[in-house]
Amino acid sequence: MNGEANESSSPARFRFLGPLEFFDGGQWSSIGAPKQRALLAVLLINANRVVSADQLMAELWGERPPPSAAGLLAGYVWRLRNGLGDPGGRMLSTRAPGYRLVLPEGATDVDEYEKLVTAGRKSLAEGDLPAAVATLTEGLGKWRGTPMADVAMVPSVLAESARLEEARLAVVEARIEAEIGLGGHETLLPELKLMVSQFPLRERLHAQLMVALYRSGQQAEALGAYRDLRGLLVEELGVEPSKPLRELQGRILRDDPLLLETPRRATAVLRQTVPRTLPPDVPAFIGRERELAWITSRLASGEQRCAVHGMAGTGKTALAVHAAHRMTGSFPDGQVYLELGATAAHGPASPADAVGRLLAALGVPAADIPPEEERAGALLRTVLADRRVVLVLDDVADSAQIRHLLPTAPGCAVILTSRPASTAVDGAGLLRLGRLPATAATALIRRYAGAARVDADLAATVRLAGLCDHLPLALRAAATRLARRPEWTVGEFVSRLTDPGRRLDQLTCDGLSVHAALRAGVRLLRHSADPLPTRVLGRLGVLDLPVVSTAVLAAALDIPVASAESAAERLVDAGLVETLRMDRYRMPGLVRLFALGEYVTADEERAATHRVLGYYEGAVRDQLSRLAANRGAGLAWYREECLTLRALAARASGSELPGLVSRLSSELSGASTGRWE
């Protein structure tokens, strides 16, 4: 929250480690209107940075703000300025392309809290335990409850609240470490037992509880705490406790005198934490056995990098996380997951932010992470030296984003996922993930929705898999939705999905959302500020052809072929379109529905269809004129374009195209009828 020099003369201060409040020089007050509170919260989180109007509208109204959102936002800003006593906009200023809240350093309770935490960690590192306890306790005293408790959970608020809560828990652990070092183990036991029950998978808390129990003369209870954690880890995650925790158990079994000799030596054990931040494994992993074996065998053989790429919804993250869980035994010093993609509020993580987040995940205190990207990267390499850690870097935007994240230590490995193929991995380490085979898609639905319902109407299940484009994300969403509605038959659900206007909304369940995955691809396009790829996305949706060439795209948009090709390749990299071979593209049905709902108007649809029909009428005439000279070339062209010609002719009864296609087919086949070969 540290920022620039104060550009505002306003004495306003803010606190959001609890309900959101501001101090006007006389008293603490709250913002009454919910939208204004959310607006203020987003601006506070991004203090001294310009927040675009587009981002603010996305935060306040979601992915589809109302047409009046821009005017409403301006009104909220005006009222917020008056409420904060800043009618001139010196503190809440208008800066293209949005607004900026200008605050001096120390203007929020988070600033005060983080300053105290930094000082407390410094005292702990220097061995001044009384100062560490006092300063960290004072910092924790700044908390009045859940961060921004009275603010709607818009994306930025949700992310910042989660960050602050996680940071607070780490500070509590640091304060407990210092108190154990001062000999306060007995008085800490009630608090530690409560916290272990609240956060049962945090190994550092278990280690602190084990040491506190042992130093209190409760060796059996200390070993029991270890057994409880081990049972939970094995049952929930299928993994053993970390190596440092196993070593601590061994020292307690041996009655290691060093655990009692000096408090400082005992607490040194607590710092050896092993990160295990992988998301939970998928409940049922079906249809990717070959790909899983490829990743695990590659890493087991000592290769350090592999990358999974492919379209949105193909299950790249699930495969990478499942493989990392499988490889836990090969990487005993940690398994770390880092999500790097764009969100509704922000673009992809910057390289500096990415390396900082990874260092934090590996247990490096925030105060020790250098702000400079190069220095932070060097520190990361030092932290990983002589350790065996596997990293899952999810939704990588490009190689520049991860240039400092790729481990060089021989015992470490990384699994990347991205929509475009990663240039950070050589060709042998690239794995392209496509749709599931029909049998695997049906098996996945069967596993999640229940065998009895699927077997009762197998034909409907096959139809359901097709409506989901055989994409694992869509299949899991559909099957999970069925599982939650045992009263529905598969056939009834298929009837609902058959309605194009409802399909995407129905493929959302329990955090699984096809629409959200496709929207993430569009955010990648918008990150470059080039509008052409989204125009091409809309045209592909309008055309609804089995295969589209760059020449046809160029005709549909009335642009050069080179521009159409560049935009289509951007869509491939965003995971929204498949490339069949050079110059040939295909759009999945779910993406087409998304594009039609977001980027197409009736006028654009008519104009694009008219231009493409004109293009193919000219192309067929050209082939007819050349048949006498080169019949073989005409036949080859017709075979390649046959599916597209059929699709267009079937819905272009008022044009010349059906007759031209019939004539070309007849002349190529040597028959007198208009039979299509």
Side-chain angles (χ1 to χ4, degrees), residues 113 117 120-125 129 132 136 140 165-181 188 191-193 195-197 199-213 222 225-226 229 233 241-246 248 252 264 266-277 359-366 368:
Y113 161 71
V117 168
R121 289 189 182 281
K122 185 173 184 293
S123 297
L124 184 61
L129 301 187
L136 294 174
L140 291 168
E165 290 281 12
E166 177 67 21
R168 184 192 69 84
L169 187 54
V171 173
V172 171
E173 290 172 337
R175 190 261 302 161
I176 290 174
E177 178 181 327
E179 290 198 54
I180 289 177
L188 285 170
E191 179 184 6
L192 276 169
K193 290 177 180 179
M195 292 198 67
V196 163
S197 69
F199 306 98
L201 296 179
R202 288 190 74 96
E203 293 197 359
R204 189 180 185 189
L205 285 174
H206 279 83
Q208 291 172 332
L209 176 60
M210 289 166 64
V211 170
L213 286 168
Y226 175 84
L229 173 62
L233 288 174
S242 65
K243 183 180 178 181
L245 208 63
R246 297 197 302 271
L248 176 59
I252 292 173
R264 289 298 295 167
T267 55
V269 176
L270 307 180
R271 298 188 180 186
Q272 301 177 34
T273 57
V274 173
R276 298 185 188 276
T277 65
L359 283 167
L362 290 166
V364 178
D368 297 336

Side-chain angles (χ1 to χ4, degrees), residues 10 12 14 20-22 24 29-45 56 60 72-93 99-103 151:
S10 170
F14 301 88
L20 180 59
E21 296 177 338
F22 75 97
D24 61 7
S29 305
S30 61
I31 301 294
K35 288 287 192 203
Q36 291 181 51
R37 277 202 305 274
L39 173 62
L40 176 58
V42 174
L43 291 169
L44 279 169
I45 292 168
L56 291 171
L60 297 180
L72 291 171
L73 176 61
Y76 292 149
V77 170
W78 180 80
R79 285 189 284 273
L80 186 57
R81 284 171 174 159
N82 288 332
L84 296 176
D86 181 40
R90 297 189 62 190
M91 178 172 60
L92 177 46
S93 62
Y99 302 94
R100 182 175 67 159
L101 185 65
V102 181
L103 294 181
V151 179

Side-chain angles (χ1 to χ4, degrees), residues 381-429:
R381 291 188 290 274
T382 301
V383 169
L384 291 176
D386 300 321
R387 298 178 71 179
R388 300 181 67 188
V389 176
V390 62
L391 311 177
V392 175
L393 305 181
D394 192 26
D395 205 7
V396 175
D398 53 44
S399 58
Q401 186 187 38
I402 58 171
R403 60 177 174 264
H404 292 299
L405 303 186
L406 300 175
T408 57
C412 295
V414 61
I415 307 173
L416 311 174
T417 79
S418 60
R419 301 194 181 204
S422 175
T423 58
V425 177
D426 62 60

Side-chain angles (χ1 to χ4, degrees), residues 17 70 95 100 143 145 188 208 253 266 307 316 348 372 375 419 428-430 443 503 537 553 578 595 674:
L17 294 176
R95 293 288 180 90
R100 182 175 67 159
W143 285 68
L188 285 170
Q208 291 172 332
L253 282 169
K316 301 180 291 295
E372 300 85 5
R375 289 181 56 207
R419 301 194 181 204
L430 292 175
R503 193 178 309 164
L537 183 67
L553 273 180
E578 297 172 291

